Amino acid sequence: SWAHIADCDRVICAAPSYIARHSAPKRPEDLAAHNCLLLRYPRSTEYYWVLTGPDGPQKMLVKGSFDADDSGLLLEWARAGAGIVNRPRFEAADLAAGRLVELLPRHAPPPARFGLLYPHSRMRNPKLKVFVDFAVREAKKAHQRLLSGDAA
């Protein structure tokens, strides 16, 4: 079974220094000519990025000279001007500070869905239900704190 926690908006962004050197992409297709910072892990869907197009979701093949399995490292590279990154908006607090600039806002990636996956059973253990309810409630609160900028 799956319990929904939140839909997390995603953002395409880069450092002002990267944009000054390479110019900002004007259309999703322009990403093919840019250095995209890629999150790689087994069965990753981020060898391509899905952006919102006029006819709905649009799969964009992207490439780049940097890839990692650590989203924090991707953000460090983006801040340093190494390329364009696709991240959940709550991870990109650097937007408000001006260290990163949102790109292609009219073509933003669809939200990422976060949830809790747990075993399904007709004879579900009541302790599991209590835990799932607690975990979902607390994760929703944590997500709201991230969105409000209060990481404590």
Side-chain angles (χ1 to χ4, degrees), residues 24-42:
K26 305 277 189 263
R27 307 169 304 139
E29 296 80 16
D30 296 342
L31 288 171
H34 283 272
N35 193 42
C36 297
L37 306 173
L38 304 172
L39 180 64
R40 306 265 184 176
Y41 54 93

Side-chain angles (χ1 to χ4, degrees), residues 59-78:
K59 187 189 265 188
M60 304 302 305
L61 295 175
V62 292
K63 61 186 183 331
S65 57
F66 295 97
D67 64 69
D69 62 358
D70 178 338
S71 64
L73 184 57
L74 293 176
L75 284 173
E76 284 182 39
W77 288 338

Side-chain angles (χ1 to χ4, degrees), residues 11-12 17 19 64 69 78 129 135 144:
V11 61
I12 304 294
S17 61
I19 296 167
D69 62 358
K129 177 169 181 10
Q144 287 303 315

Side-chain angles (χ1 to χ4, degrees), residues 134-152:
F134 169 79
V136 168
R137 183 177 61 249
E138 293 303 310
K140 286 181 179 183
K141 288 180 192 175
H143 179 249
Q144 287 303 315
R145 285 193 305 272
L146 282 170
L147 291 177
S148 69
D150 178 18

Side-chain angles (χ1 to χ4, degrees), residues 33-56:
H34 283 272
N35 193 42
C36 297
L37 306 173
L38 304 172
L39 180 64
R40 306 265 184 176
Y41 54 93
R43 295 178 297 283
S44 172
T45 60
E46 291 199 12
Y47 294 95
Y48 61 87
W49 292 346
V50 177
L51 302 180
T52 305
D55 300 320

Side-chain angles (χ1 to χ4, degrees), residues 98-125:
R99 290 183 295 270
L100 294 176
V101 176
E102 183 171 2
L103 304 172
L104 302 170
R106 290 183 18 231
H107 301 281
R113 299 196 68 188
F114 286 95
L116 177 68
L117 187 62
Y118 58 95
H120 176 72
S121 170
R122 287 188 185 163
M123 308 268 286
R124 186 179 317 162
N125 184 331

